[in-house]
């Protein structure tokens, strides 16, 4: 019988072992309930949350706020590409479709997230956001790359892959 791609998690938000040891699994935060799930690298593109049962990857950005940020950016093992934006920002709105399309191309290696600077000024201040849109690549809570300004899909995907490779 082929192995299933379902990951498991616990309602407490703590990672579940799911029969795997921490050394051969990645912690992946559920984009719906933020529960950390252990996923073997070979099954990274699939799986469902052990708590809510929804897909761990949907090929679209996750909307984060201060309450959800830690699960994805600090406790999760996936690099997180954050688009800091605001509804009133024309370049932000212009880049939104490209950012959404980039999620389909970059997942499951990179999780994409959007943070509204008006709704989460604490996160904007924490990262020193001075202009929007600003893209910040975070891995295990640490910033590894940053750029500002709208960019088309090919440039966005190329920048994210290059930044991750460094």
């Amino acid at each position: 019988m082929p192995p299933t791609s379902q990951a498991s998690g616990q309602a407490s938000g703590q990672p579940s072992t799911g029969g795997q040891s921490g050394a051969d699994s990645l912690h992946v935060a559920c984009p719906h309930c933020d529960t950390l799930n252990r996923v073997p690298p070979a099954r990274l593109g699939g799986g469902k949350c052990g708590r809510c049962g929804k897909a761990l990857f949907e090929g679209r950005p996750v909307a984060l706020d201060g309450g959800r940020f830690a699960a994805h950016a600090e406790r999760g093992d996936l690099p997180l590409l954050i688009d800091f934006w605001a509804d009133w920002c024309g370049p932000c709105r212009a880049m939104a479709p490209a950012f959404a399309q980039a999620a389909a191309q970059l997942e499951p290696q990179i999780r994409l997230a959007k943070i509204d600077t008006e709704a989460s000024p604490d996160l904007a201040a924490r990262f020193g956001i001075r202009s929007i849109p600003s893209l910040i690549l975070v891995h295990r809570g640490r910033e590894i790359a940053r750029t500002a300004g709208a960019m088309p899909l090919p440039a966005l995907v190329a920048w994210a892959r290059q930044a991750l490779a460094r």
Side-chain angles (χ1 to χ4, degrees):
M1 193 146 113
T4 65
S5 62
Q6 182 162 343
S8 62
Q10 296 174 336
S12 68
Q14 295 300 314
S16 165
T17 59
Q20 302 289 325
S21 71
D24 59 0
S25 295
L26 297 172
H27 294 124
V28 176
C30 174
H32 306 282
C33 71
D34 304 324
T35 298
L36 290 181
N37 292 265
R38 289 190 188 224
V39 180
R43 297 185 193 166
L44 193 54
K48 295 185 181 192
C49 177
R51 180 175 183 217
C52 72
K54 295 182 181 175
L56 291 175
F57 296 98
E58 297 184 321
R60 64 181 179 205
V62 177
L64 296 181
D65 58 19
R68 301 184 67 202
F69 181 78
H72 294 268
E74 297 168 2
R75 294 192 308 265
D77 289 327
L78 292 180
L80 183 70
L81 177 58
I82 306 165
D83 174 16
F84 285 90
W85 70 284
D87 190 48
W88 52 262
C89 169
C92 297
R93 288 194 317 268
M95 189 177 80
F99 194 75
Q101 292 170 351
Q105 292 185 29
L106 295 170
E107 279 190 354
Q109 289 76 30
I110 301 174
R111 169 87 70 202
L112 276 70
K114 294 184 74 70
I115 295 178
D116 182 345
T117 59
E118 298 289 309
S120 298
D122 54 330
L123 287 173
R126 175 178 169 182
F127 284 94
I129 301 302
R130 302 285 181 251
S131 64
I132 53 175
S134 282
L135 299 175
I136 298 181
L137 186 60
V138 176
H139 192 221
R140 294 187 178 117
R142 187 176 60 85
E143 179 179 327
I144 58 175
R146 164 187 301 240
T147 190
M151 61 179 77
L153 178 62
L156 180 96
V157 170
W159 178 82
R161 287 182 175 149
Q162 270 185 331
L164 189 58
R166 286 187 226 143

